[in-house]
Amino acid sequence: MCGIIACIGSDDAVGELLTGLENLEYRGYDSAGIAVQNGTGIAVRKKAGKISELKNTIARDVPNGTVGIGHTRWSTHGPPTDANAHPHTSRTDRVVVVHNGIIENYESIRRRLAAEGYEFKSETDTEVIPHLVEHHLDEGLDVEDAFKTAIGELDGSYAIALMINGTDTVYAARQDSPLVIGVDDDRYYLASDVPAFLDFTDEVIYIEDGEFAKVRPGELMLTDREGNVVDRDVETVEWSAEETGKGEYTHYMLKEINEQADSIANTIAGRIGDDGSIHLEEFPPGTFEDIDEVEFVACGTSYHAALYGVQLLRRAGIRAHANLASEYDTTTVTDRTLVVAVTQSGETADTMSALRAAQDAGAETVAVTNVVGSSAARQADHALYIRAGPEIGVAATKTFSSQVVTLTLLGHRLAEDLERGRPREDAAEFFAELRRLPTHIEKVLETTRAREISEKYLDKRSYFFIGRDNEFPVALEGALKFKEITYEHAEGFASGELKHGPLALVTDETAVFALFTGTNGEETRKNAEEAHTRGANIVAVAPDGTDVGDVADSVLWVPKTHPDLAGLLANVQLQLVSYYTANLLGREIDKPRNLAKSVTVE
């Protein structure tokens, strides 16, 4: 979860570290800190709170240096305090470390080191690392061997950057947690995510699990566990620093909601022929002819996108299931199972664990992700990119719609390849509407009454979202967005389930958002009426001209389109309702409490 940045050979290490931390703040914002080689020692500055708190602290005493490391934290072990903030130092302060991940055996290491006289000042698992490295230095090992020996004693997940007092070198290692190198002539950067250093370079080298990096100004060495030198090509990232900025928008979330027309246009570009044929370079016809069934693994918003994909696949005659990655069971997986890992970042720990379990069980695997070079893309047998562009807001928006569209294209390929598959009879009509989807989204954004609806129902105590078929995942996603950024009580239900328990919660202090975008509008109307008669206000989300009768107190309209796509238009409206409600409540929209963008711990 947390964010790591390192600058090596910079003329302004402090300035670039702070820029990198601000660019990484979506990964965690409980506390932050930096450490810089200043010529006489390592200057450490850290502070609980957001990056702005750290900047205010540093402004009173700015350290100088050309090499440094930084960290922004999402708390796991220990609350967000100055003491628990990274970087962490060793007993003599000669070893300084930042870390992302979880050291599972830290308690046993801590007890061992404490018995030898090492004093711990924090509640974190990370603090064992600098003490452990110093322990091996005290035993006579050189720095590199001390670092590698210490890393070999750690169980769990980690991305680690370490400095030793008196040197201009940063040592790094990764295991099940992302770490990437930025290259700018003789300057180098290390970071959890590429956006951290996009202000300075778009040239990157991806570090793999089990590898070590030794970086000093003008020199980079990458090695594997056995010490063999790894020669890896430098790649150019397509994203720009401008794309990862807020531009004219107050919040990243609103910017990214408004980017959905472009992101979907990018998702489908070159992938749909004029005759409705699908062109996926990654998967030519026949790729999946040996597959019998499809299992999706995903978390959060990506899980809702997977549920949407399941609905489409089942209608195409394909056995498909969506699984929460953290609950994934491979008991029924065979070598004729296709496991599709859906993950925006490509780094989600639970999804990565499920992906590896599926491979161990013999499944063929596909990663559907937004990030080229991500761990999921490299781990899976195949990678299919959603091409949504960078998403910085913690609450996912444009990536959900691009994930659904990508899964729709993948589903069509599967329907053509699988013996039991039934390709769409209305393919020409459907894909024509899919090509028009960006235009329809633009219309929603231009005509939405979401702010008015948010103001009207701001005083409610509960917000329910209901829908049937492929509206159900949209209802779940609408509720998730609402609770993520408003902190208000919100739940999503299949419409028919409202009367099987949740109706007991409905009062005149409840607002129910009912989706009428599919083919089961009459059934949903009955369920909405059940809530309406018990005092709830009903907000219908429906295609233009739909008769929602007397059941709706308010309506959010969307353009008419294919019912399999209309849910994505409804989703935009619900995203906007969440955004405006949170804004009216004064919430921290881009940095909702207790959450982070890329969940790299299980």
Side-chain angles (χ1 to χ4, degrees):
M1 224 90 99
C2 312
I4 289 173
I5 178 68
C7 303
I8 302 98
S10 168
D11 293 332
D12 178 21
V14 171
E16 293 189 358
L17 287 171
L18 291 174
T19 296
L21 289 178
E22 288 177 324
N23 291 342
L24 284 173
E25 201 165 15
Y26 59 89
R27 293 185 65 95
Y29 29 85
D30 291 341
S31 59
I34 64 169
V36 179
Q37 295 275 8
N38 66 3
T40 60
I42 298 178
V44 177
R45 306 284 188 272
K46 57 183 185 175
K47 187 71 175 173
K50 297 175 183 173
I51 307 294
S52 57
E53 298 290 331
L54 175 66
K55 291 178 72 173
N56 291 337
T57 300
I58 291 174
R60 297 191 290 269
D61 181 17
V62 181
N64 295 314
T66 60
V67 177
I69 57 178
H71 187 273
T72 181
R73 183 171 184 246
W74 185 84
S75 303
T76 53
H77 295 82
T81 63
D82 291 354
N84 288 333
H86 297 216
H88 289 286
T89 58
S90 64
R91 177 168 53 184
T92 64
D93 294 335
R94 62 173 161 165
V95 182
V96 184
V97 167
V98 292
H99 160 240
N100 179 23
I102 291 180
I103 306 303
E104 295 174 357
N105 61 334
Y106 85 98
E107 290 177 322
S108 61
I109 296 174
R110 183 172 178 137
R111 286 194 297 269
R112 191 182 90 209
L113 292 172
E116 296 180 16
Y118 290 86
E119 181 181 353
F120 288 82
K121 302 176 182 178
S122 78
E123 301 167 71
T124 69
D125 56 335
T126 300
E127 196 181 358
V128 302
I129 302 171
H131 288 309
L132 191 57
V133 172
E134 184 164 89
H135 167 76
H136 291 302
L137 290 172
D138 290 342
E139 288 185 327
L141 296 181
D142 63 27
V143 173
E144 192 167 348
D145 285 341
F147 178 60
K148 290 185 175 181
T149 301
I151 295 299
E153 295 180 49
L154 305 179
D155 294 334
S157 63
Y158 51 78
I160 296 169
L162 173 146
M163 293 194 308
I164 301 291
N165 187 20
T167 76
D168 61 355
T169 303
V170 172
Y171 297 86
R174 70 157 280 178
Q175 182 64 46
D176 297 337
S177 195
L179 198 59
V180 62
I181 300 171
V183 181
D184 183 20
D185 295 327
D186 289 341
R187 292 190 301 174
Y188 295 97
Y189 302 89
L190 284 163
S192 303
D193 277 343
V194 169
F197 51 69
L198 268 181
D199 290 74
F200 314 117
T201 183
D202 60 0
E203 301 294 306
V204 304
I205 297 173
Y206 293 99
I207 303 176
E208 302 279 1
D209 281 347
E211 292 180 344
F212 296 86
K214 179 181 178 182
V215 193
R216 59 167 58 103
E219 183 180 343
L220 164 65
M221 178 176 290
L222 199 61
T223 58
D224 62 18
R225 285 190 177 92
E226 287 71 42
N228 302 309
V229 174
V230 175
D231 185 13
R232 184 160 297 130
D233 292 337
V234 177
E235 301 181 34
T236 301
V237 177
E238 295 181 1
W239 298 346
S240 67
E242 289 74 20
E243 287 182 278
T244 58
K246 280 188 286 193
E248 63 185 19
Y249 293 93
T250 306
H251 298 101
Y252 281 110
M253 184 178 181
L254 185 59
K255 172 178 181 277
E256 288 156 3
I257 290 172
N258 279 271
E259 288 176 341
Q260 284 179 98
D262 289 337
S263 65
I264 288 178
N266 290 336
T267 299
I268 63 179
R271 289 173 166 175
I272 304 175
D274 293 337
D275 59 353
S277 58
I278 297 301
H279 305 287
L280 296 177
E281 291 184 4
E282 304 88 342
F283 309 115
T287 300
F288 302 114
E289 59 186 10
D290 294 329
I291 295 300
D292 285 338
E293 63 180 354
V294 179
E295 296 265 3
F296 292 97
V297 291
C299 304
T301 289
S302 296
Y303 174 68
H304 299 156
L307 286 172
Y308 205 122
V310 164
Q311 299 282 5
L312 299 177
L313 284 179
R314 287 178 177 172
R315 283 206 291 277
I318 300 169
R319 289 199 300 269
H321 305 276
N323 304 272
L324 289 166
S326 59
E327 296 291 324
Y328 188 46
D329 181 354
T330 61
T331 303
T332 61
V333 170
T334 72
D335 59 2
R336 296 181 68 85
T337 303
L338 178 69
V339 174
V340 181
V342 187
T343 162
Q344 184 281 135
S345 67
E347 305 294 347
T348 308
D350 288 326
T351 305
M352 288 299 300
S353 178
L355 179 60
R356 295 187 187 100
Q359 290 179 317
D360 290 343
E364 187 173 356
T365 56
V366 174
V368 174
T369 182
N370 195 36
V371 182
V372 176
S374 61
S375 296
R378 298 196 304 274
Q379 179 74 39
D381 298 316
H382 314 278
L384 182 59
Y385 296 106
I386 69 173
R387 307 194 306 206
E391 185 178 71
I392 306 301
V394 169
T397 51
K398 65 178 181 176
T399 54
F400 172 79
S401 52
S402 286
Q403 284 173 335
V404 170
V405 170
T406 303
L407 294 179
T408 300
L409 301 177
L410 178 61
H412 190 73
R413 166 62 68 242
L414 288 163
E416 291 180 329
D417 281 0
L418 273 61
E419 183 177 350
R420 63 185 300 135
R422 297 191 301 269
R424 286 183 174 273
E425 295 180 357
D426 64 348
E429 173 195 350
F430 175 81
F431 288 112
E433 285 300 306
L434 181 54
R435 284 194 294 267
R436 282 193 282 269
L437 189 59
T439 301
H440 291 327
I441 289 176
E442 288 176 348
K443 183 178 179 182
V444 170
L445 294 168
E446 291 169 0
T447 62
T448 184
R449 295 175 55 237
R451 183 183 178 89
E452 176 187 332
I453 297 296
S454 297
E455 292 174 340
K456 186 174 182 178
Y457 301 109
L458 192 63
D459 62 342
K460 298 300 178 182
R461 295 187 61 185
S462 295
Y463 300 83
F464 291 173
F465 298 76
I466 63 172
R468 290 175 179 261
D469 196 51
N470 58 25
E471 298 165 339
F472 174 44
V474 176
L476 293 175
E477 177 61 12
L480 177 61
K481 283 295 145 292
F482 203 90
K483 70 181 74 173
E484 277 181 316
I485 64 169
T486 71
Y487 313 154
E488 299 298 311
H489 176 230
E491 298 292 341
F493 304 103
S495 299
E497 288 300 297
L498 197 61
K499 59 185 176 292
H500 294 292
L503 203 58
L505 301 174
V506 172
T507 70
D508 59 2
E509 294 185 282
T510 306
V512 177
F513 289 81
L515 304 181
F516 292 89
T517 53
T519 57
N520 297 293
E522 191 55 39
E523 289 87 348
T524 294
R525 183 197 306 274
K526 295 173 184 176
N527 304 130
E529 286 174 345
E530 292 163 357
H532 201 232
T533 60
R534 287 158 177 83
N537 290 116
I538 307 299
V539 181
V541 187
D544 291 333
T546 302
D547 179 12
V548 292
D550 297 332
V551 71
D553 298 291
S554 303
V555 184
L556 289 165
W557 299 108
V558 299
K560 288 183 178 179
T561 187
H562 195 287
D564 286 347
L565 299 172
L568 294 178
L569 302 178
N571 181 63
V572 176
Q573 291 280 27
L574 297 181
Q575 290 172 350
L576 289 166
V577 169
S578 296
Y579 172 81
Y580 286 119
T581 302
N583 205 29
L584 289 165
L585 292 170
R587 306 303 192 214
E588 190 74 69
I589 291 173
D590 286 332
K591 303 165 190 173
R593 68 187 180 200
N594 303 330
L595 302 178
K597 181 68 175 173
S598 181
V599 186
T600 55
V601 295
E602 294 184 6

